[in-house]
Amino acid sequence: MRQTWEQTCHEEKDTRYASGRSCRHFSLSEIISATQNFSDAFLIGRGGFGNVYKGVLHRSSEIVAVKRLKSNSKQGAHEFWTEIETLSKIRHTHLVSLIGYCNEYREMILVYEYMPHGTLADNLYKLGRNGKDCTPLTWEQRLRICIGAARGLDYLHTGVEFGVIHRDLQHRNIVRLLGNCIEGEENMLIYEFVPNKSLEGFLFEQNNCATPNNLIGYHSTDLEKQPMLNWSKRQKIIEGIARGLLYLHDESQVRIIHRDLNANNVLLDANMNPKIADFGLARSWQGDQSEVETLRIVGTYGYMCPEYALHGRYSVKSDVYSFGILVLEIICGRRNLFYNLDGIAQELKRYAWRKWMEETPLALLDPAAGDSYDENEVIRYVQVGLLCVQDDARQRPNMASVLRMLLNSSVTLPAPQQPGQVYHLMETPTSRDGKWTSWAGFKRICCYLWKTWKVGMVLFCCAYTSMIFPLNFSLSLTTEKG
């Protein structure tokens, strides 16, 4: 069953009605032409509200399902417009897509995507279309149907937030884009207002001076600068971010990789619900492509996975890595790159691994989280964070597995592997303002020169020879003339 669940999270998406497609208004003549004047030969279903016909749109040759409501149906004009308003705003792999509608000459017609295999009832009771028997459903097919229906209902119950959002992205854990302005030299985006601003403001102080929050062995307890986040709120934030990423990776019509998930790009609304924001570096693709390479490395140091930071390869597992770093930050209340008491920069993931190996993972929990927490729950969240930051992308779980691990305490978690040190050859930030130290730059230059000293010696010899040889040649000519 677990294998079937994970397979449903990575199956190829039907992207015919993906981003950019809005609900279209059809003329009655187009509908009549598509269904050959509602011919009985095109009739594929009957119901209390009306009949459903198979249609072919002449402009695109696209096959659609046309639902013609009866004039005396209990589903009146109010229900008709409610369905249009609702379905035109919803896009999900397991929800039927509304393509358009027609309301001419007192007709109430809805145009949906066409489902060639009919309804679930047809397949369960072997009532095929046109009098043909359906092939019995296998157990795996039935299981996939149950899981898909559950995912669709979960989206309707917990994920929908109406409004126009990033190319039809609609989820309660993704910030809403309300509109834009492109006029003259101005390029502006208008978002929903999120009163609690970013998660970064709750986890870290906003000054640039050295504070105990930067030092190993200390935690952020300055409650005047940092409003308290108890454990239940932190847990709610972690689970909300996981749901938002799961939607981007597996449940939206187009698979989307954020590529810059960090504490500053997670906003908190009035109820402390997290909303993923800033899709400026996001990339999307359709089909079953699993990994992309790029020569331009962009993002935030500390959150970038090794294969992306060093080789330019990114995938959904890149976001999983960033999520793991974010989980550890939320639990610990400190940044992913910080200083110990000796002033040496360290990575949070390696510090968390050391505490894990010392069997003291509870020492990672920020005291500001309070005393009301389940120890086993905190340990499980630390373990999930460490699983997400493993160096090998193949060892990291996908977001469906991550959410299952977070929500289900009965799931057995694999043992995490020791994370590597990705940024030991990169600059180390002096503080949380993102500036780089001159000493770190000097060390990097020395390291580079040490590795390439042979090349440097060859270049020096060539330069020296090019300077000496013309001088000797000119002296020899002077001697011959003399």
Side-chain angles (χ1 to χ4, degrees):
M1 183 173 179
R2 178 183 298 178
Q3 183 178 4
T4 304
W5 165 268
E6 293 179 351
Q7 189 176 1
T8 60
C9 298
H10 293 280
E11 64 185 350
E12 184 176 352
K13 307 293 187 302
D14 183 358
T15 58
R16 290 174 294 174
Y17 311 112
S19 60
R21 182 157 191 169
S22 59
C23 187
R24 174 184 169 187
H25 178 268
F26 290 93
S27 66
L28 183 58
S29 60
E30 288 180 287
I31 300 297
I32 291 176
S33 176
T35 59
Q36 294 188 10
N37 198 16
F38 303 105
S39 171
D40 289 341
F42 283 65
L43 184 64
I44 57 176
R46 300 178 185 272
F49 296 137
N51 297 334
V52 181
Y53 299 85
K54 178 180 178 181
V56 180
L57 302 179
H58 284 194
R59 289 185 180 180
S60 60
S61 299
E62 185 177 9
I63 301 177
V64 295
V66 179
K67 180 180 179 181
R68 186 187 190 188
L69 301 180
K70 296 178 181 179
S71 58
N72 59 350
S73 170
K74 293 182 181 179
Q75 185 171 349
H78 175 73
E79 290 78 5
F80 174 73
W81 290 111
T82 298
E83 185 162 1
I84 293 173
E85 182 181 2
T86 302
L87 289 182
S88 63
K89 294 177 179 179
I90 293 177
R91 291 293 183 271
H92 192 278
T93 305
H94 299 294
L95 297 177
V96 67
S97 296
L98 177 67
I99 300 174
Y101 66 97
C102 173
N103 63 330
E104 293 183 2
Y105 302 104
R106 296 186 179 181
E107 290 281 359
M108 292 186 293
I109 300 172
L110 298 171
V111 181
Y112 299 93
E113 64 175 310
Y114 177 71
M115 296 294 177
H117 293 292
T119 68
L120 176 60
D122 293 339
N123 289 270
L124 284 178
Y125 309 128
K126 303 177 184 179
L127 302 175
R129 293 174 177 173
N130 300 324
K132 297 180 180 179
D133 291 337
C134 293
T135 304
L137 294 173
T138 64
W139 168 246
E140 183 178 358
Q141 289 174 328
R142 296 168 192 252
L143 189 60
R144 287 167 63 88
I145 290 171
C146 292
I147 293 174
R151 291 167 70 90
L153 282 175
D154 179 68
Y155 173 71
L156 289 175
H157 295 168
T158 64
V160 174
E161 184 166 351
F162 293 131
V164 182
I165 307 174
H166 298 289
R167 296 186 180 182
D168 273 349
L169 296 184
Q170 297 169 38
H171 196 276
R172 67 183 301 180
N173 298 119
I174 296 176
V175 70
R176 284 191 295 136
L177 176 66
L178 303 178
N180 68 289
C181 174
I182 303 176
E183 190 170 325
E185 296 182 356
E186 295 288 347
N187 296 288
M188 293 179 284
L189 298 174
I190 302 173
Y191 294 94
E192 64 173 319
F193 177 70
V194 184
N196 284 325
K197 300 183 179 179
S198 72
L199 174 62
E200 184 179 45
F202 280 80
L203 290 177
F204 320 118
E205 288 84 8
Q206 295 302 306
N207 58 347
N208 293 326
C209 61
T211 64
N213 188 49
N214 276 335
L215 302 176
I216 193 170
Y218 291 85
H219 291 274
S220 52
T221 56
D222 189 348
L223 300 183
E224 293 180 357
K225 296 178 181 177
Q226 179 195 23
M228 179 179 290
L229 282 177
N230 58 32
W231 172 247
S232 63
K233 290 180 181 177
R234 295 175 194 241
Q235 183 182 14
K236 177 182 178 181
I237 291 170
I238 291 173
E239 292 175 2
I241 298 171
R243 290 182 184 277
L245 282 179
L246 177 62
Y247 174 75
L248 293 176
H249 292 175
D250 295 316
E251 296 179 350
S252 64
Q253 293 278 349
V254 180
R255 174 170 289 179
I256 296 173
I257 301 176
H258 190 279
R259 293 209 302 171
D260 195 22
L261 182 68
N262 57 65
N264 193 45
N265 288 337
V266 175
L267 307 181
L268 301 174
D269 67 9
N271 297 318
M272 301 301 289
N273 293 309
K275 293 178 178 287
I276 300 173
D278 196 349
F279 286 75
L281 302 181
R283 291 293 180 269
S284 63
W285 62 66
Q286 301 177 0
D288 55 358
Q289 189 176 12
S290 60
E291 189 177 72
V292 175
E293 288 193 15
T294 180
L295 297 176
R296 183 169 177 260
I297 309 300
V298 293
T300 304
Y301 282 114
Y303 295 92
M304 292 192 293
C305 61
E307 67 272 14
Y308 179 58
L310 302 177
H311 307 293
R313 296 195 300 267
Y314 66 89
S315 64
V316 293
K317 296 299 184 70
S318 305
D319 283 350
V320 172
Y321 181 92
S322 302
F323 174 78
I325 295 292
L326 202 50
V327 168
L328 296 177
E329 286 186 330
I330 295 172
I331 294 173
C332 300
R334 66 161 59 95
R335 295 177 181 272
N336 61 81
L337 293 174
F338 62 95
Y339 289 94
N340 62 14
L341 293 175
D342 297 325
I344 300 175
Q346 291 198 13
E347 293 182 69
L348 179 58
K349 65 175 184 178
R350 293 175 63 83
Y351 172 61
W353 171 257
R354 188 163 66 250
K355 292 298 181 183
W356 178 263
M357 293 304 296
E358 293 173 357
E359 298 184 355
T360 58
L362 290 176
L364 295 169
L365 185 60
D366 189 348
D371 298 327
S372 180
Y373 59 86
D374 186 304
E375 293 186 358
N376 293 329
E377 199 170 54
V378 174
I379 293 173
R380 188 170 78 252
Y381 274 59
V382 171
Q383 186 172 356
V384 170
L386 290 173
L387 287 171
C388 292
V389 298
Q390 296 180 109
D391 288 348
D392 189 349
R394 296 170 297 181
Q395 298 297 323
R396 297 175 209 144
N398 55 55
M399 289 311 302
S401 299
V402 167
L403 195 58
R404 187 173 65 250
M405 293 175 187
L406 294 175
L407 299 179
N408 191 351
S409 59
S410 63
V411 173
T412 302
L413 275 61
Q417 301 296 318
Q418 180 178 3
Q421 191 171 357
V422 181
Y423 301 99
H424 63 288
L425 293 179
M426 298 182 179
E427 298 96 337
T428 302
T430 59
S431 63
R432 289 161 296 174
D433 59 1
K435 296 180 180 178
W436 309 106
T437 61
S438 57
W439 173 243
F442 176 74
K443 288 194 295 182
R444 187 181 182 189
I445 293 174
C446 291
C447 181
Y448 176 78
L449 291 177
W450 174 257
K451 288 186 176 182
T452 59
W453 68 272
K454 292 184 179 180
V455 177
M457 288 298 295
V458 171
L459 293 176
F460 175 78
C461 291
C462 292
Y464 181 79
T465 304
S466 64
M467 293 174 62
I468 297 301
F469 178 75
L471 179 62
N472 292 338
F473 183 71
S474 61
L475 289 175
S476 62
L477 290 177
T478 304
T479 304
E480 291 177 359
K481 288 182 179 179

